[in-house]
Coordinates of all heavy atoms in Angstrom, one line a residue:
L1 N -67.9 -96.2 -127.1 CA -67.8 -95.5 -128.3 C -66.4 -95.1 -128.6 O -65.6 -94.8 -127.7 CB -68.7 -94.2 -128.4 CG -70.2 -94.5 -128.2 CD1 -70.9 -93.1 -128.1 CD2 -70.8 -95.3 -129.3
A2 N -66.1 -95.1 -129.9 CA -64.8 -94.6 -130.4 C -65.0 -93.1 -130.7 O -66.0 -92.7 -131.2 CB -64.4 -95.4 -131.6
A3 N -63.9 -92.4 -130.4 CA -64.0 -90.9 -130.7 C -63.9 -90.6 -132.1 O -63.4 -91.4 -132.9 CB -62.8 -90.3 -130.0
P4 N -64.5 -89.5 -132.6 CA -64.4 -89.2 -134.0 C -63.0 -89.0 -134.4 O -62.1 -88.6 -133.6 CB -65.2 -87.8 -134.1 CG -66.1 -87.9 -132.9 CD -65.4 -88.6 -131.8
L5 N -62.7 -89.2 -135.7 CA -61.4 -89.1 -136.2 C -60.9 -87.6 -136.0 O -61.7 -86.7 -136.3 CB -61.3 -89.4 -137.7 CG -61.5 -90.9 -138.0 CD1 -61.5 -91.1 -139.5 CD2 -60.4 -91.8 -137.4
G6 N -59.7 -87.4 -135.5 CA -59.2 -86.1 -135.2 C -59.5 -85.6 -133.8 O -58.9 -84.5 -133.5
M7 N -60.4 -86.2 -133.1 CA -60.7 -85.7 -131.7 C -59.9 -86.5 -130.7 O -59.9 -87.8 -130.8 CB -62.2 -85.8 -131.5 CG -62.6 -85.3 -130.1 SD -64.4 -85.5 -129.7 CE -65.0 -84.0 -130.5
D8 N -59.4 -85.8 -129.7 CA -58.7 -86.5 -128.6 C -59.7 -87.4 -127.9 O -60.7 -86.8 -127.5 CB -58.0 -85.5 -127.7 CG -57.2 -86.1 -126.6 OD1 -57.2 -87.3 -126.5 OD2 -56.7 -85.3 -125.8
P9 N -59.4 -88.6 -127.7 CA -60.3 -89.5 -126.9 C -60.6 -88.9 -125.5 O -61.7 -89.1 -125.0 CB -59.6 -90.8 -126.8 CG -58.7 -90.8 -128.0 CD -58.3 -89.4 -128.2
M10 N -59.7 -88.2 -124.9 CA -59.9 -87.6 -123.6 C -60.9 -86.5 -123.6 O -61.7 -86.3 -122.8 CB -58.6 -87.2 -122.9 CG -57.7 -88.3 -122.4 SD -58.5 -89.4 -121.2 CE -59.3 -90.6 -122.2
E11 N -60.8 -85.7 -124.7 CA -61.8 -84.6 -124.9 C -63.2 -85.2 -125.1 O -64.2 -84.7 -124.5 CB -61.4 -83.7 -126.1 CG -62.4 -82.6 -126.3 CD -62.1 -81.9 -127.6 OE1 -61.2 -82.3 -128.4 OE2 -62.8 -80.8 -127.9
F12 N -63.3 -86.2 -125.9 CA -64.6 -86.9 -126.2 C -65.1 -87.5 -124.9 O -66.3 -87.3 -124.6 CB -64.3 -88.0 -127.2 CG -65.6 -88.7 -127.6 CD1 -66.7 -88.0 -128.0 CD2 -65.7 -90.1 -127.6 CE1 -67.9 -88.6 -128.4 CE2 -66.8 -90.8 -128.0 CZ -67.9 -90.0 -128.4
A13 N -64.3 -88.1 -124.1 CA -64.8 -88.6 -122.8 C -65.2 -87.5 -121.8 O -66.2 -87.6 -121.2 CB -63.7 -89.5 -122.1
A14 N -64.4 -86.4 -121.8 CA -64.8 -85.3 -120.9 C -66.1 -84.7 -121.3 O -66.9 -84.3 -120.4 CB -63.6 -84.3 -120.9
L15 N -66.3 -84.5 -122.5 CA -67.6 -83.9 -123.0 C -68.8 -84.8 -122.6 O -69.8 -84.3 -122.2 CB -67.6 -83.7 -124.5 CG -66.6 -82.6 -125.0 CD1 -66.5 -82.6 -126.5 CD2 -67.2 -81.2 -124.6
R16 N -68.6 -86.1 -122.8 CA -69.7 -87.0 -122.4 C -70.0 -87.0 -120.9 O -71.2 -87.0 -120.5 CB -69.4 -88.4 -122.9 CG -69.4 -88.6 -124.4 CD -68.6 -89.8 -124.9 NE -69.1 -91.0 -124.3 CZ -68.5 -92.2 -124.4 NH1 -67.3 -92.3 -125.0 NH2 -69.1 -93.3 -123.8
V17 N -69.0 -87.0 -120.2 CA -69.1 -87.0 -118.7 C -69.8 -85.7 -118.2 O -70.6 -85.7 -117.3 CB -67.8 -87.3 -118.0 CG1 -67.9 -87.1 -116.5 CG2 -67.3 -88.7 -118.3
A18 N -69.4 -84.6 -118.8 CA -70.0 -83.3 -118.5 C -71.5 -83.3 -118.8 O -72.3 -82.8 -118.0 CB -69.3 -82.2 -119.2
V19 N -71.9 -83.9 -119.9 CA -73.3 -84.0 -120.2 C -74.1 -84.9 -119.2 O -75.2 -84.5 -118.8 CB -73.5 -84.5 -121.7 CG1 -75.0 -84.7 -122.0 CG2 -72.9 -83.6 -122.7
L20 N -73.5 -86.0 -118.9 CA -74.1 -86.9 -117.8 C -74.3 -86.1 -116.5 O -75.3 -86.3 -115.8 CB -73.3 -88.1 -117.7 CG -73.3 -89.2 -118.8 CD1 -72.2 -90.2 -118.6 CD2 -74.7 -89.8 -118.8
N21 N -73.3 -85.4 -116.1 CA -73.4 -84.6 -114.9 C -74.5 -83.6 -115.0 O -75.3 -83.4 -114.1 CB -72.1 -83.8 -114.6 CG -71.0 -84.8 -114.1 OD1 -71.3 -85.8 -113.5 ND2 -69.7 -84.3 -114.3
G22 N -74.6 -82.9 -116.2 CA -75.7 -81.9 -116.3 C -77.1 -82.6 -116.3 O -78.1 -81.9 -115.9
M23 N -77.2 -83.8 -116.6 CA -78.4 -84.6 -116.6 C -78.7 -85.1 -115.2 O -79.8 -85.6 -115.0 CB -78.4 -85.7 -117.6 CG -78.3 -85.3 -119.0 SD -78.0 -86.6 -120.2 CE -79.2 -87.8 -119.8
G24 N -77.8 -85.0 -114.3 CA -78.0 -85.6 -113.0 C -77.6 -87.1 -112.9 O -77.9 -87.7 -111.8
E25 N -76.9 -87.6 -113.9 CA -76.5 -89.0 -113.9 C -75.1 -89.1 -113.4 O -74.2 -89.6 -114.1 CB -76.7 -89.6 -115.3 CG -78.1 -89.7 -115.8 CD -78.8 -90.9 -115.1 OE1 -78.2 -91.6 -114.4 OE2 -80.0 -91.0 -115.3
Y26 N -74.9 -88.8 -112.1 CA -73.6 -88.8 -111.6 C -73.0 -90.2 -111.4 O -71.8 -90.3 -111.6 CB -73.6 -88.0 -110.2 CG -74.1 -86.6 -110.3 CD1 -75.4 -86.3 -109.9 CD2 -73.4 -85.6 -110.9 CE1 -75.9 -85.0 -110.0 CE2 -73.8 -84.3 -111.0 CZ -75.1 -84.1 -110.6 OH -75.6 -82.8 -110.7
A27 N -73.8 -91.2 -111.1 CA -73.2 -92.5 -110.9 C -72.7 -93.1 -112.2 O -71.7 -93.7 -112.3 CB -74.3 -93.4 -110.3
I28 N -73.5 -92.8 -113.3 CA -73.1 -93.3 -114.6 C -71.8 -92.5 -115.1 O -70.9 -93.1 -115.7 CB -74.2 -93.1 -115.7 CG1 -75.5 -93.8 -115.2 CG2 -73.8 -93.6 -117.0 CD1 -75.3 -95.3 -115.0
A29 N -71.8 -91.2 -114.8 CA -70.6 -90.4 -115.1 C -69.4 -91.0 -114.4 O -68.3 -91.0 -115.0 CB -70.8 -88.9 -114.7
R30 N -69.5 -91.3 -113.2 CA -68.4 -91.9 -112.4 C -67.9 -93.2 -113.1 O -66.7 -93.5 -113.2 CB -68.8 -92.1 -111.0 CG -67.6 -92.7 -110.1 CD -68.1 -93.0 -108.7 NE -69.2 -94.0 -108.7 CZ -69.6 -94.6 -107.6 NH1 -69.1 -94.3 -106.4 NH2 -70.6 -95.5 -107.7
A31 N -68.9 -94.0 -113.5 CA -68.5 -95.3 -114.1 C -67.8 -95.1 -115.4 O -66.9 -95.8 -115.7 CB -69.8 -96.1 -114.4
V32 N -68.2 -94.1 -116.2 CA -67.5 -93.8 -117.5 C -66.0 -93.4 -117.2 O -65.1 -93.8 -117.9 CB -68.2 -92.8 -118.3 CG1 -67.4 -92.4 -119.5 CG2 -69.6 -93.3 -118.7
V33 N -65.8 -92.5 -116.2 CA -64.4 -92.0 -116.0 C -63.6 -93.1 -115.4 O -62.4 -93.2 -115.6 CB -64.4 -90.8 -115.0 CG1 -65.2 -89.6 -115.7 CG2 -64.9 -91.1 -113.7
Q34 N -64.2 -94.1 -114.7 CA -63.4 -95.2 -114.2 C -63.0 -96.2 -115.3 O -62.2 -97.1 -115.0 CB -64.3 -95.9 -113.1 CG -64.4 -95.2 -111.8 CD -65.3 -95.9 -110.8 OE1 -66.2 -96.7 -111.2 NE2 -65.1 -95.6 -109.6
D35 N -63.6 -96.0 -116.5 CA -63.2 -96.8 -117.6 C -61.9 -96.3 -118.3 O -61.4 -96.9 -119.2 CB -64.3 -96.9 -118.6 CG -64.1 -98.0 -119.7 OD1 -63.8 -99.1 -119.3 OD2 -64.2 -97.7 -120.9
V36 N -61.4 -95.2 -117.8 CA -60.2 -94.6 -118.3 C -59.1 -94.6 -117.2 O -59.4 -94.2 -116.1 CB -60.4 -93.1 -118.7 CG1 -59.2 -92.5 -119.3 CG2 -61.6 -93.1 -119.7
D37 N -57.9 -95.0 -117.5 CA -56.8 -95.0 -116.6 C -56.5 -93.6 -116.1 O -56.5 -92.6 -116.9 CB -55.5 -95.6 -117.2 CG -55.6 -97.0 -117.5 OD1 -56.6 -97.7 -117.0 OD2 -54.8 -97.6 -118.3

């Protein structure tokens, strides 16, 4: 996904990963952060 206009892509990614962690989807969360340098 592309971040909303005006939102830092890193903030958008961090919010998504935090939600995945809260859901117990740690492997998917790790995969998403690995998509970012």
Side-chain angles (χ1 to χ4, degrees):
L1 298 175
L5 291 176
M7 179 182 281
D8 182 1
M10 286 301 91
E11 180 189 7
F12 184 49
L15 288 170
R16 290 162 58 190
V17 173
V19 175
L20 286 168
N21 286 337
M23 295 167 54
E25 291 288 352
Y26 302 105
I28 303 298
R30 181 185 62 169
V32 172
V33 300
Q34 286 176 338
D35 193 50
V36 181
D37 293 349

